[in-house]
Amino acid sequence: MALISRQRSFEDVATVDTSATIQIALTVIAFMVAFYSFQKDPGIRKLIFHTPLLWFLLYTLWAAVTSLWSINAAMSAYRAFETLAWFMLICAVITRLYDRLDIFEIIRWVLYFALFTILFNTLNRARQFGFSLFSFDTLRMEQMWSTPFFFLALLLPVGLFPKAVLLPVSIFSLSNTAYAGMAGGLFALFTGKGATRKIFILAMIILLAAISLVGTEEILKNTIFYGKKGVGIEYTSGRDKITFQIITAAREKPLTGYGFVAGETFIVTKVRHGAIGAHNGFLSAQLGTGIVGTVLFAIFMISMVFKAGSKYLPQEYRTAFLASAILITIHTVGNPGLGSRVYGTWIPAMTLFTLICMVQQHYSYLYSDEDNLGDTELS
């Protein structure tokens, strides 16, 4: 999907133009390839049915069911189909990589995929909108592809090139959500050993020193509320009004919701014309799929955090994965992505979660084989 340019205005969210038509065609092709692989490869079925990815599959199927009472049945049905297609394709790709590469090479492949996407998007955006290749506008636009992989690039020996691109794009993105996610992920470093724990302690010392020397209000004014007239919820980008409208609407239909994606699109555009969505995966789930969908989605997200911190993972992977899972969870609260349509952080977040499930499954089977071998020797 990164290869398709957005030709229409950012305000015309429901318009079907050439790029949208191509994306629909790509979605159909993605589903056909993924479904064929799903039938032929038992590894894909094992990956989905034996990990937290099963909860996301159930959430997606329930999202499709909501098209029966959706305020826009066609939109809900298509967006659910789109979600299913790309979810299954990502699972198929990670499984195919697992059949051909070792674990560390898969991680490097995923990071270079992110690098390629960032590079292509940057060049394409410069061509379409005239953005400078090295401007803060570029960094801000690409943080959704860099930030989910921030801790993999930071903590793992993946090479200079991924670190040189992913870390600066994340750090200098000026995205409050990105910073909140990275700050939350730092707490996972406390579970690490050696260098990772030192990074956590150093980061906390710098943060506490900054707060004590500068003051909390001054830090907020120059970070979260940079360029605003003051510090407070009333000086945010307007998401407070969108959130209030969504919560109010969700209370009116808490059990069933208004239909996957269609509900949030209808409600959000009432507050701000041209808005993409709720910018909060959990609110998107509640507004679109009701309590049932929200519970399934919440179980998936919580299970992923526990999966990322699995005792079966080697220490270096466990720390990087847990930090990444925490980051993505926080990201999901403030950015478009999981829980809604395939947009924003959806593909990088799902790719990373699928990678975590595959790696954890790999090491859990290794431990299981060692235990069985030990039992055989004892007998």
Side-chain angles (χ1 to χ4, degrees):
M1 292 182 72
L3 300 177
I4 305 302
S5 305
R6 183 189 181 101
Q7 303 295 333
R8 61 190 179 278
S9 165
F10 282 93
E11 295 183 354
D12 300 328
V13 296
T15 301
V16 178
D17 58 11
T18 302
S19 66
T21 303
I22 296 175
Q23 287 182 9
I24 292 172
L26 282 177
T27 298
V28 173
I29 295 172
F31 178 79
M32 293 172 63
V33 172
F35 187 73
Y36 175 81
S37 302
F38 180 82
Q39 287 185 308
K40 295 293 184 179
D41 191 345
I44 301 175
R45 299 193 294 273
K46 186 182 297 183
L47 175 63
I48 295 176
F49 294 137
H50 294 177
T51 69
L53 296 175
L54 175 61
W55 292 107
F56 189 82
L57 175 62
L58 294 175
Y59 170 72
T60 304
L61 295 176
W62 176 254
V65 172
T66 65
S67 64
L68 297 176
W69 55 80
S70 171
I71 58 176
N72 188 328
M75 178 182 289
S76 293
Y78 169 70
R79 291 304 183 187
F81 173 73
E82 177 187 56
T83 300
L84 179 64
W86 291 103
F87 164 70
M88 292 180 62
L89 184 63
I90 289 172
C91 291
V93 170
I94 295 296
T95 303
R96 185 61 62 90
L97 290 174
Y98 178 74
D99 292 338
R100 287 162 170 73
L101 305 173
D102 63 35
I103 294 299
F104 187 70
E105 288 174 337
I106 298 173
I107 294 174
R108 281 175 55 86
W109 189 97
V110 168
L111 292 181
Y112 274 94
F113 170 66
L115 289 177
F116 167 78
T117 305
I118 290 173
L119 176 61
F120 184 89
N121 285 346
T122 300
L123 294 174
N124 192 47
R125 193 172 290 110
R127 178 183 64 84
Q128 280 191 281
F129 304 110
F131 287 172
S132 170
L133 294 179
F134 304 104
S135 68
F136 277 107
D137 287 327
T138 299
L139 297 177
R140 189 160 50 245
M141 295 296 288
E142 292 308 317
Q143 63 89 10
M144 291 189 185
W145 265 98
S146 65
T147 307
F149 304 108
F150 175 80
F151 285 106
L152 294 189
L154 177 68
L155 300 177
L156 299 180
V158 293
L160 179 62
F161 188 41
K163 293 179 184 291
V165 176
L166 294 174
L167 299 182
V169 171
S170 302
I171 293 172
F172 296 108
S173 65
L174 301 181
S175 168
N176 299 328
T177 305
Y179 295 153
M182 289 186 282
L186 284 174
F187 286 96
L189 271 60
F190 189 70
T191 66
K193 296 179 180 179
T196 55
R197 183 168 291 190
K198 291 178 182 178
I199 292 174
F200 173 80
I201 294 173
L202 179 62
M204 291 299 102
I205 291 175
I206 293 174
L207 178 61
L208 292 174
I211 292 175
S212 62
L213 292 174
V214 180
T216 304
E217 183 173 349
E218 193 66 24
I219 290 177
L220 291 174
K221 187 183 299 182
N222 288 279
T223 53
I224 295 176
F225 295 95
Y226 180 78
K228 307 297 182 182
K229 296 181 179 180
V231 175
I233 190 67
E234 66 273 18
Y235 298 108
T236 59
S237 60
R239 291 186 187 179
D240 57 319
K241 298 181 179 64
I242 293 176
T243 300
F244 176 78
Q245 185 67 28
I246 289 174
I247 293 175
T248 301
R251 287 175 178 172
E252 297 177 3
K253 299 185 70 174
L255 296 179
T256 60
Y258 294 82
F260 182 60
V261 178
E264 66 174 305
T265 301
F266 176 74
I267 299 299
V268 169
T269 52
K270 281 185 174 181
V271 181
R272 178 183 294 178
H273 180 65
I276 295 298
H279 282 63
N280 183 316
F282 296 94
L283 289 180
S284 294
Q286 178 60 47
L287 194 62
T289 64
I291 290 177
V292 174
T294 304
V295 169
L296 292 173
F297 182 68
I299 292 175
F300 166 67
M301 297 297 293
I302 294 171
S303 298
M304 281 306 314
V305 173
F306 281 100
K307 182 67 69 174
S310 170
K311 65 179 182 179
Y312 297 114
L313 290 169
Q315 182 64 59
E316 62 272 19
Y317 289 158
R318 185 189 313 152
T319 302
F321 285 171
L322 181 58
S324 299
I326 294 172
L327 184 153
I328 289 175
T329 301
I330 296 174
H331 231 217
T332 301
V333 175
N335 268 337
L338 296 178
S340 186
R341 53 178 286 202
V342 181
Y343 178 78
T345 62
W346 196 101
I347 290 180
M350 182 53 67
T351 300
L352 184 51
F353 275 170
T354 306
L355 172 67
I356 291 172
C357 287
M358 177 59 80
V359 176
Q360 193 278 339
Q361 190 177 72
H362 168 80
Y363 283 105
S364 67
Y365 285 157
L366 285 183
Y367 276 93
S368 177
D369 290 342
E370 290 177 0
D371 291 342
N372 292 334
L373 180 60
D375 293 340
T376 302
E377 292 174 348
L378 288 174
S379 61

